[in-house]
Amino acid sequence: MRIAFLLVAVALGASEAQASTRNYSFPKSEGVVIGACLADGVSCGKQAADKFCQQEGFTESILFSREKVGAARILDSGAMCEGEACEAFKRIKCYLPKQG
């Protein structure tokens, strides 16, 4: 009985100390998918995904994918990207290291 209690206590403690992640599918701002670039037009991919994650309370992005779209909202300016050159995130996985 004592061993079982100890194993449960260890398992609970380990799960509380783990890092936190969250997946976002087609993340949106004001109902529009998030553009894969920031307003400067050169901070694309990881930089833009990191900005999204930070706004959601995470440290950084650890995975993302993107696709061509007709329109997307630029995260740091609120402006719209429209046309053939516009890309948006299909998925972003955000990461927050364990607190402790």
Side-chain angles (χ1 to χ4, degrees):
M1 177 81 156
R2 188 173 191 193
I3 294 174
F5 176 78
L6 185 59
L7 290 175
V8 170
V10 169
L12 289 175
S15 65
E16 289 179 29
Q18 291 179 350
S20 177
T21 61
R22 181 168 177 194
N23 287 300
Y24 294 87
S25 294
F26 298 98
K28 295 180 180 177
S29 173
E30 299 178 32
V32 180
V33 292
I34 301 285
C37 292
L38 297 177
D40 66 8
V42 294
S43 299
C44 300
K46 174 88 168 123
Q47 295 97 333
D50 284 351
K51 180 79 169 175
F52 172 79
C53 290
Q54 290 161 2
Q55 288 182 353
E56 295 296 315
F58 291 87
T59 304
E60 66 178 320
S61 64
I62 56 172
L63 182 102
F64 62 87
S65 61
R66 48 193 172 172
E67 69 179 2
K68 295 265 186 203
V69 294
R73 184 161 314 277
I74 306 302
L75 191 59
D76 61 338
S77 71
M80 291 295 293
C81 167
E82 296 178 313
E84 292 180 17
C86 193
E87 284 190 333
F89 289 109
K90 288 174 53 174
R91 177 181 178 202
I92 300 176
K93 184 172 192 170
C94 296
Y95 171 78
L96 180 67
K98 67 181 177 180
Q99 304 297 311

